[in-house]
Amino acid sequence: MDINCTNNNLNFKALHIANCGNLKLYKITDKSDLNYIKELPQKIKTENLMPNLSKDEYSRWNEMLQYAVDNALTPGNTTYLETYNNKPCGIITFFEDKITELDCICTWPIEFGKKVKFAGQTLFYQLFSDFQKIKGGKKIKLEAITNGPYDTVSKYEKLGFQQTDTLPTKVKMETTAPKVKNTLKNLSNTIEYEETNPEKINLYTELEL
């Protein structure tokens, strides 16, 4: 994967906010950061990263990455970019409120055939941490796809989500504040999450691509 810097403006404002072992989390805080985010779907091709999936499954995976990027561009949404050894490996975007809506989460390998361990759980850890800071936060809602390459419904159930409705290609799910608190406690036993002093960085020059 190769993303070239076509913008010489160095006033990028992405915040490096946490380290989780070899994983790092960056909060997208400015429109200039989105120039980097927008390039990801063109540069990351899941068919070149994971073997033995069907054409439709690759297509759906790539579609979810594009959907995550599109939602990152939505005003008011919170977005985090995740890296492994300074290479992008995941993105999560959501709308924070008392009833928080997870718009999309997408992770991908950086080495052929090797998933990044704890990539998805770490992004959920960040979501849950942000949610707990919302005064009067009640629940988190999401829609789990059922026609993708992996069983997302069971993964979300392990994170405390329950099914509320079934649609043709997705399942609506939600979790409550007490469950979030309990799940976050359990995740802290496996996720090496360490907050950092927020540091403004240039995604193009900071990350190895």
Side-chain angles (χ1 to χ4, degrees):
M1 179 175 59
D2 182 24
I3 298 181
N4 296 314
C5 180
T6 57
N7 190 334
N8 293 321
N9 180 5
L10 297 182
N11 295 320
F12 288 84
K13 299 179 182 179
L15 292 179
H16 174 203
I17 55 96
N19 293 324
C20 312
N22 289 327
L23 293 167
K24 293 182 180 180
L25 290 174
Y26 299 87
K27 187 172 185 178
I28 303 304
T29 64
D30 190 80
K31 289 182 179 180
S32 57
D33 304 321
L34 296 174
N35 292 330
Y36 182 95
I37 298 296
K38 286 190 291 186
E39 292 188 39
L40 293 177
Q42 286 72 48
K43 303 299 181 179
I44 298 167
K45 300 301 179 183
T46 57
E47 55 269 29
N48 298 329
L49 294 171
M50 185 63 68
N52 303 322
L53 298 179
S54 70
K55 182 178 179 180
D56 287 342
E57 287 172 332
Y58 287 125
S59 177
R60 185 60 163 152
W61 199 348
N62 292 330
E63 179 184 331
M64 292 309 298
L65 173 56
Q66 182 64 60
Y67 186 69
V69 169
D70 290 343
N71 278 280
L73 304 179
T74 301
N77 273 8
T78 297
T79 300
Y80 290 95
L81 179 69
E82 181 179 44
T83 68
Y84 179 83
N85 289 338
N86 292 331
K87 295 181 180 180
C89 68
I91 185 172
I92 188 170
T93 180
F94 52 92
F95 181 77
E96 292 184 84
D97 203 345
K98 291 182 179 180
I99 298 180
T100 291
E101 299 278 351
L102 172 57
D103 285 321
C104 194
I105 178 173
C106 185
T107 62
W108 55 88
I110 62 169
E111 295 181 75
F112 183 75
K114 295 182 180 179
K115 294 183 180 180
V116 177
K117 192 173 183 180
F118 299 131
Q121 292 181 52
T122 299
L123 289 172
F124 268 105
Y125 188 101
Q126 187 62 54
L127 166 65
F128 293 155
S129 296
D130 284 9
F131 175 75
Q132 283 210 309
K133 297 175 184 177
I134 300 173
K135 186 176 181 180
K138 296 180 179 180
K139 62 180 62 176
I140 302 174
K141 294 184 176 183
L142 60 79
E143 294 181 349
I145 62 170
T146 55
N147 61 342
Y150 303 105
D151 179 6
T152 58
V153 173
S154 63
K155 289 183 178 181
Y156 298 157
E157 286 177 334
K158 291 178 181 178
L159 291 170
F161 288 87
Q162 290 185 323
Q163 299 182 36
T164 59
D165 194 13
T166 301
L167 304 175
T169 60
K170 55 191 175 184
V171 174
K172 292 187 176 183
M173 307 181 75
E174 64 180 41
T175 187
T176 61
K179 289 182 180 179
V180 167
K181 183 178 181 179
N182 185 60
T183 302
L184 194 57
K185 181 180 179 181
N186 291 335
L187 285 175
S188 67
N189 294 324
T190 57
I191 302 295
E192 299 178 32
Y193 186 94
E194 180 183 359
E195 289 187 0
T196 64
N197 292 324
E199 177 187 3
K200 294 181 181 180
I201 61 96
N202 179 342
L203 293 175
Y204 282 105
T205 58
E206 179 77 8
L207 303 185
E208 178 185 339
L209 297 167

